[in-house]
């Protein structure tokens, strides 16, 4: 283990300049910077996300002789939406986020996230604004937009919204990606996600950032269902030069629907042998009070800086990765 940083002084200065660019971008648009807690009494229920936890003995409604779990945020989303429900306008935040996942080329368990919310925007408006930011920071070509369904049809000749398990396995077999666990997998969403990440994702966003939108409603997360085609959700992701960079939504504002999704997540966690997670009741209370129509997006700052500096590992753009901290 080395005590020295993995971020050079030269790159530290460039990183600071990029952060300044980002703040200026939002200042020019009247989007206000906010700061919210990194700790929460509730957490995400998503099957694919695991929060880091700590213990605390001094909550107002508990004895100081007994600790309770607090969760480090996987993103500042729930707290920021509580601000919106209380009457805040358009906001952004550059925050530390934490995910209990293995470190790798593109991921550190502690990382920096840019998240922002635009009142009155739909996901198309927000994709356009994200494009403007990417062009400003990366000096890249004009990003392209394509639906999830289009990508599958164009690249694989398969409609993901109606494909059977047998058809999905046939595609995986044809691409020489079949393994034993896939043969026994009966959840089509898992197969779709495998195909997207292993077969489609490496072939998009090579020359210009690629926005993929209208994901299947089973992968809606916190996005609204599309009123024109209720098989898909108003959610988008952006990929560029092999990096997943952005995840955005036309935000779900209905409390009952959101609570049902959290409950379904926990049912799915149970089926996969994972621990159920405490639902963030403060967030649901904010939805009851009323979240205005808005779209929101999360962007990985460290990955953005990797692209801007042509760095091939995340450790080259952060001071101390997990093995050095």
């Amino acid at each position: 283990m080395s005590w020295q940083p993995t971020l050079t002084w030269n790159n530290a200065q460039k990183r600071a300049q990029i952060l300044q660019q980002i703040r200026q971008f939002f200042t020019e648009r009247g989007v206000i910077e906010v700061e919210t807690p990194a700790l929460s009494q509730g957490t995400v229920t998503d099957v694919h996300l695991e929060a880091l936890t700590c213990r605390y003995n001094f909550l107002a409604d508990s004895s100081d002789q007994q600790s309770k779990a607090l969760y480090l945020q996987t993103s500042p989303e729930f707290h920021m939406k509580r601000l919106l429900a209380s009457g805040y306008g358009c906001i952004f935040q550059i925050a530390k986020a934490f995910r209990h996942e293995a470190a790798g080329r593109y991921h550190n368990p502690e990382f920096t996230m840019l998240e922002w919310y635009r009142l009155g925007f739909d996901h198309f408006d927000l994709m356009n604004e994200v494009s403007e930011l990417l062009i400003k920071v990366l000096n890249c070509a004009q990003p392209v937009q394509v639906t999830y369904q289009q990508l599958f049809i164009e690249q694989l000749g398969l409609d993901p919204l109606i494909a059977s398990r047998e058809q999905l396995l046939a595609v995986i077999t044809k691409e020489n990606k079949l393994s034993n666990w896939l043969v026994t997998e009966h959840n089509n969403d898992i197969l779709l996600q495998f195909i997207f990440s292993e077969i489609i994702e490496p072939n998009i966003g090579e020359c210009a950032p690629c926005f993929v939108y209208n994901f299947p409603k089973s992968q809606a997360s916190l996005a609204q269902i599309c009123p024109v085609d209720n098989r898909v959700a108003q959610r988008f992701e952006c990929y560029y030069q092999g990096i997943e960079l952005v995840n955005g939504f036309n935000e779900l504002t209905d409390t009952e629907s959101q609570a049902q999704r959290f409950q379904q997540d926990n049912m799915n966690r149970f089926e996969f042998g994972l621990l159920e997670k405490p639902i963030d009741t403060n967030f649901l209370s904010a939805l009851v009070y009323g979240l205005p129509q808005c779209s929101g997006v999360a962007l990985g700052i460290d990955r953005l800086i990797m692209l801007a500096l042509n760095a091939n590992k995340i450790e080259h753009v952060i001071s101390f990765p997990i093995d050095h901290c």
Side-chain angles (χ1 to χ4, degrees):
M1 180 182 292
S2 172
W3 63 267
Q4 294 178 310
T6 53
L7 176 67
T8 66
W9 174 235
N10 185 50
N11 280 350
Q13 294 175 81
K14 292 178 180 177
R15 181 184 175 103
Q17 290 167 0
I18 292 170
L19 291 174
Q20 187 177 28
Q21 268 188 307
I22 291 169
R23 288 189 163 97
Q24 183 62 32
F25 178 88
F26 289 113
T27 296
E28 292 170 356
R29 287 160 176 76
V31 182
I32 303 304
E33 184 169 10
V34 296
E35 187 175 31
T36 56
L39 290 171
S40 177
Q41 295 179 53
T43 188
V44 291
T45 53
D46 192 314
V47 173
H48 304 291
L49 288 179
E50 288 295 331
L52 291 164
T53 63
C54 63
R55 309 294 301 187
Y56 185 66
N57 285 60
F58 304 102
L59 289 173
D61 61 350
S62 65
S63 166
D64 61 9
Q65 302 302 309
Q66 184 174 7
S67 65
K68 284 194 173 184
L70 293 178
Y71 300 87
L72 286 164
Q73 64 183 3
T74 57
S75 93
E77 178 171 6
F78 291 174
H79 282 119
M80 291 183 77
K81 287 182 175 176
R82 286 166 62 183
L83 295 181
L84 295 173
S86 74
Y88 279 49
C90 298
I91 53 176
F92 82 97
Q93 182 169 188
I94 297 173
K96 288 293 185 182
F98 308 84
R99 297 185 182 180
H100 195 192
E101 300 169 357
R105 181 180 176 187
Y106 300 123
H107 178 69
N108 191 63
E110 177 183 351
F111 59 99
T112 304
M113 177 178 286
L114 165 64
E115 189 150 329
W116 77 94
Y117 291 88
R118 293 295 244 139
L119 303 186
F121 274 36
D122 64 15
H123 55 308
F124 292 108
D125 296 324
L126 195 53
M127 279 192 282
N128 291 336
E129 186 165 72
V130 176
S131 295
E132 292 172 12
L133 178 62
L134 295 182
I135 291 170
K136 181 181 182 69
V137 174
L138 301 177
N139 194 30
C140 59
Q142 180 68 41
V144 298
Q145 299 178 5
V146 61
T147 69
Y148 184 93
Q149 183 184 38
Q150 281 177 279
L151 278 177
F152 273 79
I153 292 173
E154 291 172 2
Q155 293 199 19
L156 302 173
L158 180 74
D159 187 339
L161 303 181
I162 60 174
S164 66
R165 175 175 175 272
E166 290 70 26
Q167 289 174 313
L168 297 176
L169 288 173
V171 165
I172 295 170
T173 302
K174 183 180 178 182
E175 298 290 330
N176 295 316
K177 298 283 187 180
L178 193 65
S179 55
N180 289 337
W181 75 269
L182 289 166
V183 174
T184 58
E185 180 56 64
H186 288 273
N187 186 322
N188 276 14
D189 258 338
I190 300 295
L191 298 179
L192 283 171
Q193 289 166 10
F194 179 85
I195 292 170
F196 188 85
S197 63
E198 294 294 323
I199 300 172
I200 292 178
E201 189 178 324
N203 298 317
I204 60 177
E206 294 176 357
C207 300
C210 179
F211 285 86
V212 183
Y213 66 97
N214 283 6
F215 279 72
K217 70 175 180 181
S218 53
Q219 300 175 31
S221 187
L222 280 73
Q224 292 193 36
I225 301 303
C226 179
V228 178
D229 183 350
N230 64 10
R231 299 176 300 170
V232 299
Q234 294 179 322
R235 172 188 165 199
F236 65 87
E237 294 184 355
C238 181
Y239 300 84
Y240 187 39
Q241 296 182 2
I243 294 180
E244 180 188 341
L245 195 57
V246 167
N247 192 12
F249 311 101
N250 189 5
E251 301 292 348
L252 181 65
T253 58
D254 180 72
T255 312
E256 184 176 344
S257 297
Q258 187 62 77
Q260 288 173 354
R261 291 191 194 180
F262 286 157
Q263 292 161 4
Q264 183 61 53
D265 281 347
N266 268 331
M267 291 172 61
N268 292 340
R269 295 184 71 86
F270 178 79
E271 290 178 8
F272 289 131
L274 302 172
L275 290 175
E276 294 183 24
K277 296 296 182 180
I279 292 171
D280 192 324
T281 54
N282 281 325
F283 171 57
L284 289 181
S285 295
L287 291 186
V288 170
Y289 188 81
L291 179 68
Q293 190 280 319
C294 62
S295 286
V297 61
L299 184 155
I301 286 283
D302 305 315
R303 293 180 179 184
L304 179 70
I305 294 172
M306 283 181 66
L307 290 166
L309 303 187
N310 292 315
N312 59 14
K313 292 182 180 178
I314 196 170
E315 66 185 47
H316 296 155
V317 300
I318 59 178
S319 56
F320 299 105
I322 191 68
D323 291 334
H324 289 239
C325 65

